[in-house]
Amino acid sequence: MGSVDRKSVQKGRGAASKPAGRFASTHAEADDDGWGILEEPLPPLATTVQPDASRTIIARNQSPDIPFTQSINPYRGCEHGCPYCYSRPTHAYLDLSPGLDFETRLFYKPDAAQLLKKELGAPGYECSPIALGTNTDPYQPIEREYGVTRAILEMLSALNHPTTIVTKGAALIARDIDLLASMAERNLIAVSISITTLDSELKRTLEPRAAGPASRLAAVRKLTEAGVPVGVMVAPVIPVLTDHELESILEAAAGAGAKTAGYVMLRLPFEVNALFQEWLRTHAPLKAEHVMARVRELRGGRDNDPRFGSRMRGEGIYADLFRKRFEVACRRYGLNKERRELDTSRFVPPAGASPQLSLL
């Protein structure tokens, strides 16, 4: 997959093309029939949203690389359009493209809250924090209309169930400050705002439909003022392109009230590799080879390393140096001073969930 003429890239979209998923039985390629059709500008690519027929809502994992065992994704696909998103390959399971389909053909889970209530009331359920935003962003633009994330939070709050949120959103998470502040009073919530870059121009093509960096910092400040514990995720760190911003991002986040910080190195699994390299050659052609050389330095000479223990941080001299920079900056700006555990003791299973009669 090579570069694409920037003039032909769909405005407001991250992926520059629509490659077939790896499970697709057919592949289609555009070809000029002699009438010059390929030279005509493409019409704007609209977002379509369909209901998702999931019968369960809580996903579980045993990965040693992540600090949670339970998660919920209110949506499939993500309109933010980040070309580096490691979740893009999941659209191939729907026989859709991890490219433009991932950010334009979206699915929402209309029964999410009721499915959640049923699963939280299942016999033998053990309470542990549920993470929102692990695969696709719970506060992507369609949340404004469909409100699935809000419905999930209302259910979790009503049952005193702890949760964590990671998002690139701003206005929509601020919309839910009433809920989040109430949960914070009971030590049931922790929020992380993901900030990849402070460069608004770079963000415009790298994260085309996500909130701008200034808006995300404003969300950190609003949440902090409401008593909601907030951290920042510098994620992903893109070598050469954004890695120099580490200290600036952490300083700005701490100034806005963030108390914790973390980072994740760029990962390029499956189809994401080709899509991201296409984005690089299209939007940052002079840096493309340098970026990929540094990625391979982090990944043992490969474009991607899926091994537990190294996939999130990388390895080698560059990875060690970045880790030390991160630790020094956190000390300088007062981040990660204390570890906070959410309260699982308050959880009350939904009424009527158990067939056993109450004694009270």
Side-chain angles (χ1 to χ4, degrees), residues 119-159:
E119 292 180 41
L120 295 182
Y125 175 79
E126 294 185 10
C127 180
S128 67
I130 292 177
L132 301 181
T134 59
N135 202 43
T136 56
D137 202 305
Y139 284 111
Q140 59 181 289
I142 60 171
E143 164 65 14
R144 187 180 304 279
E145 178 177 353
Y146 292 92
V148 181
T149 299
R150 172 85 186 191
I152 290 170
L153 285 174
E154 287 174 340
M155 180 62 68
L156 292 170
S157 179
L159 301 177

Side-chain angles (χ1 to χ4, degrees), residues 239-288:
V240 179
L241 205 60
T242 68
D243 56 349
H244 63 283
E245 295 190 67
L246 173 66
E247 289 81 3
S248 298
I249 292 173
L250 294 181
E251 180 180 15
K259 299 300 181 185
T260 61
Y263 72 92
V264 177
M265 283 291 174
L266 176 69
R267 297 168 52 202
L268 298 175
F270 301 107
E271 295 95 332
V272 181
N273 187 13
L275 286 165
F276 179 73
Q277 290 201 51
E278 182 181 62
W279 180 91
L280 271 178
R281 287 188 286 269
T282 301
H283 295 285
L286 299 181
K287 296 181 179 180

Side-chain angles (χ1 to χ4, degrees), residues 56-123:
T56 61
I57 194 67
I58 300 176
R60 293 177 171 83
N61 76 86
Q62 297 178 332
S63 171
D65 286 334
I66 48 182
F68 58 84
T69 58
Q70 302 191 116
S71 62
I72 294 177
N73 291 291
Y75 303 99
R76 291 181 187 265
C78 186
E79 199 175 4
H80 283 163
C82 311
Y84 55 71
C85 182
Y86 63 83
S87 300
R88 284 182 175 273
T90 60
H91 246 44
Y93 299 123
L94 304 174
D95 205 18
L96 295 172
S97 170
L100 286 169
D101 280 350
F102 178 79
E103 53 194 275
T104 62
R105 297 186 63 178
L106 310 180
F107 299 82
Y108 74 103
K109 300 179 180 179
D111 301 323
Q114 292 307 309
L115 289 172
L116 176 59
K117 182 177 181 180
K118 179 180 177 181
E119 292 180 41
L120 295 182

Side-chain angles (χ1 to χ4, degrees), residues 282-296:
T282 301
H283 295 285
L286 299 181
K287 296 181 179 180
E289 290 303 320
H290 192 184
V291 171
M292 291 310 301
R294 187 56 57 83
V295 167
R296 293 176 188 122

